[in-house]
């Protein structure tokens, strides 16, 4: 079975965020680190070169495929900040209205 390309590593989240060119994205990323650390109760870790993840969890699909991933995370992508969530949040959740303009994927907002 193929191994996930995105793996947890010891790179510095603080250095990663400090290296974000766009000032607004850099400040938003600092805010997300503070919020997610408070909510999850764990410090962020880098996953691959560009995702900050909080908390660890093991998953196993019905197919037998399994692995480790973070509970919640984010990545300051070129166009937008991407939030990664492991639990499904329905798009009709009233909290989504407060986000402003957004799009969703399988496990990201």
């Amino acid at each position: 079975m193929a191994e996930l390309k995105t793996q947890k590593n010891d790179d510095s989240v603080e250095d990663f965020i400090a290296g974000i060119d766009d000032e607004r994205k850099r400040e938003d990323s600092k805010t997300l680190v503070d919020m997610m650390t408070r909510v999850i109760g764990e410090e962020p870790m880098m996953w691959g070169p560009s995702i900050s993840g909080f908390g660890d969890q093991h998953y196993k699909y019905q197919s037998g495929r399994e692995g480790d991933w973070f509970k919640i995370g984010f990545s300051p992508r070129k166009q937008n900040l991407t939030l990664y969530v492991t639990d499904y949040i329905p798009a009709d959740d009233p909290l989504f209205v407060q986000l402003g303009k957004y799009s969703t994927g399988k496990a990201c907002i």
Side-chain angles (χ1 to χ4, degrees), residues 62-77:
Q62 287 181 346
S63 66
R65 181 180 178 155
E66 60 185 297
D68 297 300
W69 201 240
F70 48 86
K71 293 177 183 176
I72 190 167
F74 74 94
S75 182
R77 302 288 185 197

Side-chain angles (χ1 to χ4, degrees), residues 14 17 24 27-28 36 39 46 50 71 74 93 104 108:
E14 189 175 292
I17 291 173
R24 181 173 180 178
E27 292 305 314
D28 287 347
M36 290 180 177
V39 169
M46 289 302 297
S50 62
K71 293 177 183 176
F74 74 94
D93 187 302
T104 60
C108 60

